[in-house]
Amino acid sequence: MGFMRQEEGSSSVISSPLQLFSMMSLSPSLGSPNNALLREMKSEERGLYLIHLLLTCANHVAAGNLENANTTLEQISVLASPDGDTMQRIATYFMESLADRILKTWPGIHRALNSTRVTMLSEEILVQKLFFELFPFLKVAYVLTNQAIIEAMEGEKVIHIIDLNAAEAAQWIALLQVLSARPEGPPHLRITGIHQKKEILDQVAHRLTEEAEKLDIPFQFNPVVSKLENLDFDKLRVKTGEALAISSILQLHSLLAWDDEALRRKSPLLLKGSNGINLQRVLPLSQSTLGDLLEKDVVNGYTPSPDSTSSSPASLATSNSINMESFLNALWGLSPKVMVVTEQDCNHNGPTLMDRLLEALYSYAALFDCLESTVSRTSLERLRVEKMIFGEEIKNIIACEGPERKQRHEKLDKWFQRFDLAGFGNVPLSYYGMLQARRFIQSYGCEGYRMRDENGCVLICWQDRPMFSISAWRSRK
Amino acid sequence: MLEKMDDGEISNAFPLQNPSTGASNQPPVLKRKRNLPGNPDPEAEVIALSPKTLMATNRFVCEICLKGFQRDQNLQLHRRGHNLPWKLKQRSSKEARKRVYVCPEKTCVHHHPSRALGDLTGIKKHFCRKHGEKKWKCEKCSKRYAVQSDWKAHSKTCGTREYKCDCGTIFSRRDSFITHRAFCDALAEETARVNAASNISNYSIMQNPLGPSMATHFSSFFKPNSCPEEPTPGSQTSKGLSLWMTQTQAHETIANNNLHEFHQLGSATSPTSIYGGGGNPLAPCSNPPSSNYQLNWVFGNKLSSNGNQDLSSTASLPLVNDIVKDNPNLQLISVPSLYSSQHQSHQTNSANMSATALLQKAAQIGTTSSDPSLFLGSIGLKCNSPGQDGNKFCGLYGSSSVLTSYDADNNYSGDLSQMPPSKRRHLQNEESAWGQTRDFLGVGGANHLPPFINQGMDLI
């Protein structure tokens, strides 16, 4: 075959009815509407057309047809808008991600364009607060996590909690309040909070210490400034035999990025779909073999470096051999009485772009629908959340590959397997905990939010689509 | 912080008698930090202060400059500035009994020790409000206040925000307005008409008020060991509250309530003043404590602009847009067809179709109409097509798609699982059509294929 072989990933193009929709020549009607028609286009038609365009564009990108991708992007940009209706907003962020993905083939340009991007810490804090407030997800997670911890720690005089992302003090304030009402009196509580930014840890420490003083609970907060992948477990200062609880809210999936890296280094040819996309400008194709192409992974300009010499994060990770398995093993080694994990319950870790894009379309459509149903379109807060949280996640899912792609959400059954392999046994969430969570959701004021019980774990859904899963585990001996 | 009252203090050193009404059990041996409003600690010391004491302000006066202070501590600190000798009294040790205060006015309900109030400031304000002269007057409206802080608080909000119900009543507070609307007759007629007009019959909120009081649930979330004991002043309030919650997009209030819980669980001061004061003109509703500042904060931040004109409803309320969302008719528009899956494509208002519904419709169109001309009918605009482009790359894809195995079962079944059952059946039919596609490689033709697959074949 003389022409370049398409990467495997793009073959899944027609695997879903949604993709088929994109394939259809959307009839003379919708091809390239001129401006007059655009104004007349009603929201539904525009939405359908946007879906078509997005999928078309993704196909182009996956295939490496930059010209066509560019044209499609142009068409999308006319219709998409970050303050329009739901589909317009979604299309904006997907369009941006696809463009970002393409741009990564010119690493110099990409870096240059992103060099002046500055995110203030205050913005980050604010937007996380907004996510906490505009959605019930985190609140339900806190309710269930705290309840599981309380039940596991019944009768304990000293409790040690490790929070893998100590950014929001509200969770532990609630726990402090419950603990202060214990009939036998409150326990001695020690919380070890992990976060990348010291300032945030300081804030959390301050608020929690204040609350504990008010409630007269002996309390200690140990901050650990660290990324999860570089976590030094000694710093956690877990004493043998103490009652330990671990709370992980939306943190574990980023470690899967290192799994991919480890796999890649071992056997590049066995990779399911590295999206080692050959874009037309790159290589004289006749000379390269498939193996070379896969290894080069030109898409994001990322070249896996040989073992010892380079200082790229990849080699650091593999030399520390941090990956999901080792992390979970280390957690298991701490012998927690309970570990409560909250994760996004969507499969955004598919091997190919199209897989992930399709899944992401559905999941983020649901998330954007949540906002549409509960917040006004002109709300700046909504815009912030959409842009800085969802937009960034979408960009990471679509435009990044390899260890850069941190938003590797997976469905609950995969987590089940992982935890099981690492020696954890599932602790079904209690009836009382679920009751509280259910009542909370029902009284939240928006009918779309629902809750489901699945094998003792809780799935928070929007309409019928699960969005977040909460499960509790203990270390089996 | 305990104050010693110098004059006029009559201290009853007997423990609180259990009232004849209400619970007469022994109090449980719970170590609770605060008592809930209206239920004073039976072990507490009951103090009855004289009216003069209660109404006095600035009783501690500096001898040098004659400046008055409410507390002795403050006066002592002030004396430092004059280089006078000063002494700060230590906070009294923990053995001091908790104090509760009764109102000296005999006709007042708080005169009885069983209804004593736990806070000194609270009892002072109560006395002023109920039994004092209303010296402070609002400039804009005709309201008078006995307590200066009340007056200040009112003048801040007087006239700033007004909600007008269809029946003509005006409210300054959003929550009371919403509670009123829940019961207002005029509005009930209007919504009945609107509901009858639309197909959405499975969403009648007004007829299904939530049974248990919502207010108690919040406390129970975070205090599983305690019973929901917060007394609601009459079931009317709780029902109003719950109706209010469901009827509006009350996520903000719920969020505020929960944040309130997160921050201030168990604070008894504000409910005390509300229940004790009784001067609230909006009698049926007693607002959840400190939701006041939370709501104001919310107002300050979000939903401040008017938008959503396309969501404008039949309700003729000149309000900010979040009120507009209160209309149950509206609430469903963005959550259209997933309630009744069989009417999916028909029932939705095209102006407000949710993204999820759009995706499902696109997928549906993808499977049901392999013939593009059918799609033409369903969309119905006129323009030029990028058909050529489409076919070009389709062809490429056609080849690889049939070459590789049908490995995206996960993806497909993932889609299936999200679709309501009625559509699932439909799609499963399509799946078998795909089965034919695979067979097509070796075997005879499937007539149900989109054209590009055939093109793909040529490329092999």
Side-chain angles (χ1 to χ4, degrees):
Chain A
M1 286 194 274
F3 70 98
M4 65 186 179
R5 177 173 147 77
Q6 296 304 318
E7 48 115 359
E8 260 197 34
S10 61
S11 62
S12 59
V13 133
I14 315 191
S15 56
S16 100
L18 196 56
Q19 280 187 278
L20 178 49
F21 169 75
S22 79
M23 290 306 137
M24 301 171 50
S25 50
L26 271 195
S27 76
S29 343
L30 279 186
S32 19
N34 53 36
N35 281 343
L37 270 147
L38 279 184
R39 268 176 263 123
E40 284 173 22
M41 209 190 233
K42 284 193 255 161
S43 159
E44 178 182 327
E45 293 150 356
R46 179 179 55 211
L48 288 171
Y49 189 48
L50 274 172
I51 298 174
H52 167 81
L53 285 174
L54 276 175
L55 295 169
T56 309
C57 182
N59 283 328
H60 286 312
V61 173
N65 295 331
L66 292 194
E67 291 301 325
N68 293 339
N70 180 49
T71 318
T72 330
L73 280 177
E74 237 183 327
Q75 292 172 327
I76 299 177
S77 68
V78 173
L79 296 174
S81 155
D83 45 22
D85 68 27
T86 325
M87 204 60 227
Q88 282 181 297
R89 290 174 188 235
I90 296 174
T92 314
Y93 298 110
F94 274 84
M95 161 183 78
E96 192 188 11
S97 311
L98 286 168
D100 200 56
R101 187 183 175 96
I102 298 176
L103 201 62
K104 283 195 159 138
T105 59
W106 286 272
I109 297 185
H110 187 262
R111 281 215 190 97
L113 270 181
N114 286 328
S115 58
T116 53
R117 264 183 68 167
V118 114
T119 27
M120 318 251 301
L121 185 63
S122 54
E123 283 272 304
E124 282 181 28
I125 297 179
L126 173 67
V127 89
Q128 289 302 324
K129 256 266 170 333
L130 287 176
F131 182 68
F132 169 72
E133 280 164 22
L134 292 180
F135 295 96
F137 305 129
L138 281 186
K139 294 171 193 160
V140 175
Y142 293 162
V143 167
L144 287 169
T145 308
N146 288 352
Q147 184 61 27
I149 292 180
I150 290 165
E151 284 167 10
M153 297 296 184
E154 220 174 326
E156 294 287 342
K157 296 284 191 315
V158 180
I159 300 181
H160 183 191
I161 299 183
I162 296 180
D163 187 352
L164 294 189
N165 183 40
E168 178 60 62
Q171 178 179 8
W172 307 120
I173 289 182
L175 184 69
L176 280 170
Q177 289 170 345
V178 181
L179 286 178
S180 76
R182 266 194 350 175
E184 65 263 32
H188 180 113
L189 180 64
R190 185 154 74 95
I191 298 186
T192 302
I194 306 170
H195 199 275
Q196 289 185 27
K197 301 261 164 54
K198 181 173 185 312
E199 297 85 348
I200 295 189
L201 282 178
D202 286 341
Q203 239 182 34
V204 172
H206 176 73
R207 283 179 68 191
L208 288 182
T209 325
E210 210 176 39
E211 184 71 18
E213 263 180 32
K214 250 203 301 184
L215 296 171
D216 206 19
I217 298 181
F219 174 75
Q220 205 185 1
F221 185 86
N222 298 334
V224 174
V225 184
S226 166
K227 287 192 194 182
L228 269 191
E229 55 241 23
N230 301 335
L231 185 61
D232 179 4
F233 279 76
D234 292 333
K235 286 218 193 116
L236 300 176
R237 301 225 212 108
V238 177
K239 306 187 184 121
T240 353
E242 74 175 351
L244 177 68
I246 303 179
S247 163
S248 161
I249 301 196
L250 309 181
Q251 294 305 303
L252 286 183
H253 58 255
S254 61
L255 292 170
L256 290 173
W258 300 112
D259 273 15
D260 209 34
E261 177 54 23
L263 199 62
R264 168 197 299 272
R265 298 193 52 70
K266 288 187 195 145
S267 46
L269 288 176
L270 291 181
L271 221 37
K272 286 168 283 194
S274 65
N275 271 358
I277 294 176
N278 325 318
L279 295 178
Q280 285 155 359
R281 73 165 188 104
V282 173
L283 304 160
L285 297 161
S286 46
Q287 296 165 11
S288 45
T289 67
L290 180 58
D292 287 351
L293 293 177
L294 284 176
E295 240 183 342
K296 282 251 161 65
D297 190 4
V298 188
V299 179
N300 36 356
Y302 165 75
T303 334
S305 48
D307 261 309
S308 43
T309 54
S310 139
S311 58
S312 76
S315 59
L316 192 62
T318 47
S319 62
N320 289 347
S321 56
I322 286 278
N323 59 3
M324 178 58 71
E325 198 186 320
S326 66
F327 193 83
L328 286 181
N329 285 338
L331 286 181
W332 181 90
L334 299 175
S335 313
K337 284 194 101 173
V338 71
M339 175 172 79
V340 190
V341 177
T342 306
E343 279 291 328
Q344 288 95 334
D345 191 50
C346 323
N347 182 17
H348 293 150
N349 199 14
T352 68
L353 171 66
M354 282 315 287
D355 286 342
R356 300 201 299 271
L357 189 112
L358 284 173
E359 266 298 306
L361 263 181
Y362 279 109
S363 340
Y364 287 97
L367 281 169
F368 276 72
D369 280 340
C370 294
L371 283 176
E372 175 78 8
S373 307
T374 53
V375 187
S376 131
R377 274 190 198 169
T378 52
S379 156
L380 273 180
E381 277 80 23
R382 172 178 168 184
L383 199 67
R384 276 209 185 97
V385 169
E386 289 175 349
K387 177 174 155 74
M388 295 178 61
I389 300 190
F390 299 150
E392 292 299 309
E393 284 181 9
I394 294 172
K395 213 188 279 190
N396 192 266
I397 296 173
I398 305 272
C400 298
E401 293 290 340
E404 240 186 5
R405 179 160 67 86
K406 300 253 184 255
Q407 302 293 338
R408 298 190 180 230
H409 313 147
E410 286 198 345
K411 296 207 86 115
L412 183 59
D413 49 359
K414 289 245 177 81
W415 289 111
F416 242 92
Q417 288 172 10
R418 284 214 183 84
F419 292 139
D420 200 54
L421 269 175
F424 287 98
N426 181 249
V427 176
L429 295 170
S430 75
Y431 170 76
Y432 188 65
M434 298 231 207
L435 185 66
Q436 287 185 63
R438 218 178 279 278
R439 275 198 199 146
F440 179 83
I441 289 197
Q442 279 164 0
S443 68
Y444 193 70
C446 181
E447 280 269 333
Y449 292 112
R450 311 225 176 109
M451 199 181 100
R452 221 157 65 199
D453 173 358
E454 188 130 318
N455 301 336
C457 311
V458 163
L459 291 177
I460 314 177
C461 311
W462 171 259
Q463 309 297 345
D464 294 322
R465 188 183 171 96
M467 305 257 69
F468 291 85
S469 70
I470 303 160
S471 53
W473 304 84
R474 64 181 165 83
S475 56
R476 270 193 327 245
K477 288 297 172 193
Chain B
M1 199 166 73
L2 299 175
E3 276 180 55
K4 287 259 178 269
M5 310 302 283
D6 294 340
D7 47 309
E9 176 179 348
I10 310 164
S11 174
N12 296 337
F14 54 83
L16 199 58
Q17 314 279 9
N18 276 332
S20 50
T21 62
S24 47
N25 319 336
Q26 284 304 318
V29 193
L30 289 174
K31 289 267 194 302
R32 214 175 269 142
K33 288 299 170 193
R34 288 179 183 275
N35 282 99
L36 300 167
N39 293 340
D41 186 349
E43 300 298 310
E45 186 182 345
V46 181
I47 300 186
L49 303 165
S50 76
K52 187 159 139 229
T53 319
L54 285 179
M55 298 232 334
T57 56
N58 297 353
R59 301 179 313 108
F60 298 94
V61 182
C62 170
E63 60 218 28
I64 307 265
C65 57
L66 298 179
K67 189 168 153 97
F69 295 91
Q70 289 207 12
R71 294 197 173 86
D72 184 52
Q73 316 271 47
N74 300 352
L75 172 61
Q76 296 304 318
L77 291 173
H78 167 81
R79 281 163 64 102
R80 290 194 304 193
H82 293 310
N83 293 325
L84 287 172
W86 54 279
K87 182 173 193 308
L88 278 176
K89 294 198 198 118
Q90 295 299 330
R91 179 181 169 166
S92 57
S93 58
K94 289 260 169 74
E95 283 92 32
R97 303 228 323 256
K98 188 159 167 53
R99 294 177 166 205
V100 295
Y101 304 90
V102 291
C103 181
E105 178 65 36
K106 290 201 176 41
T107 56
C108 184
V109 74
H110 290 289
H111 184 66
H112 196 279
S114 67
R115 296 296 306 276
L117 302 173
D119 188 61
L120 176 62
T121 320
I123 189 76
K124 282 168 131 182
K125 285 200 176 163
H126 155 77
F127 188 76
C128 281
R129 279 193 199 114
K130 283 301 269 301
H131 314 300
E133 176 202 336
K134 296 198 167 150
K135 295 183 283 195
W136 303 93
K137 180 179 172 335
C138 172
E139 289 159 356
K140 299 175 202 155
C141 65
S142 62
K143 285 182 129 173
R144 305 186 73 96
Y145 294 91
V147 180
Q148 187 187 16
S149 52
D150 292 348
W151 170 77
K152 264 196 194 166
H154 166 81
S155 41
K156 267 193 198 164
T157 63
C158 184
T160 50
R161 262 197 133 85
E162 284 181 348
Y163 303 101
K164 191 163 166 179
C165 179
D166 282 346
C167 65
T169 329
I170 299 187
F171 297 89
S172 65
R173 297 177 56 127
R174 179 168 181 252
D175 44 8
S176 37
F177 165 70
I178 291 167
T179 313
H180 162 84
R181 288 206 316 156
F183 292 103
C184 182
D185 295 326
L187 202 56
E189 287 167 21
E190 172 115 27
T191 48
R193 268 194 297 112
V194 165
N195 273 337
S198 71
N199 293 344
I200 308 163
S201 55
N202 53 351
Y203 202 70
S204 51
I205 313 167
M206 305 265 276
Q207 289 82 348
N208 301 323
L210 297 172
S213 158
M214 276 304 132
T216 63
H217 284 177
F218 297 125
S219 60
S220 68
F221 289 161
F222 304 108
K223 271 194 171 183
N225 296 326
S226 67
C227 328
E229 270 175 343
E230 271 170 343
T232 53
S235 59
Q236 197 182 16
T237 301
S238 45
K239 227 207 298 182
L241 199 63
S242 57
L243 273 179
W244 161 44
M245 296 297 188
T246 49
Q247 196 176 16
T248 72
Q249 303 288 3
H251 66 282
E252 13 183 289
T253 321
I254 305 282
N256 294 334
N257 269 337
N258 280 310
L259 284 185
H260 159 60
E261 291 297 329
F262 279 124
H263 295 306
Q264 285 185 336
L265 193 66
S267 88
T269 51
S270 33
T272 309
S273 55
I274 291 178
Y275 299 147
N280 192 345
L282 305 167
C285 34
S286 164
N287 304 301
S290 79
S291 64
N292 209 351
Y293 91 84
Q294 295 274 18
L295 281 176
N296 289 337
W297 173 77
V298 166
F299 283 149
N301 280 350
K302 47 182 178 161
L303 303 181
S304 49
S305 47
N306 299 323
N308 274 356
Q309 275 84 11
D310 44 339
L311 278 189
S312 61
S313 69
T314 56
S316 56
L317 307 166
L319 299 171
V320 287
N321 56 352
D322 51 354
I323 306 294
V324 171
K325 288 196 182 186
D326 300 339
N327 190 320
N329 185 23
L330 292 178
Q331 209 169 344
L332 258 203
I333 287 188
S334 55
V335 183
S337 46
L338 298 164
Y339 279 96
S340 48
S341 48
Q342 58 272 24
H343 298 309
Q344 182 137 356
S345 43
H346 305 303
Q347 207 176 19
T348 59
N349 182 346
S350 65
N352 289 304
M353 204 164 175
S354 77
T356 318
L358 272 176
L359 281 170
Q360 288 178 341
K361 178 159 185 177
Q364 187 185 17
I365 292 174
T367 50
T368 56
S369 53
S370 51
D371 181 2
S373 59
L374 284 183
F375 190 69
L376 208 168
S378 61
I379 298 284
L381 285 185
K382 305 185 196 42
C383 226
N384 296 327
S385 75
Q388 303 79 357
D389 271 357
N391 288 338
K392 242 195 283 183
F393 70 81
C394 278
L396 272 172
Y397 284 80
S399 64
S400 40
S401 76
V402 232
L403 278 177
T404 60
S405 63
Y406 194 70
D407 66 333
D409 277 339
N410 296 341
N411 207 7
Y412 195 65
S413 57
D415 294 333
L416 279 186
S417 67
Q418 283 132 31
M419 304 217 190
S422 61
K423 294 195 52 195
R424 216 173 283 166
R425 273 179 266 118
H426 193 61
L427 288 172
Q428 274 160 359
N429 293 338
E430 289 308 316
E431 200 174 8
S432 53
W434 282 113
Q436 292 175 5
T437 311
R438 278 179 277 172
D439 292 335
F440 185 68
L441 269 182
V443 189
N447 46 6
H448 208 34
L449 296 173
F452 54 81
I453 293 285
N454 293 326
Q455 291 183 12
M457 289 300 102
D458 297 336
L459 277 176
I460 304 172

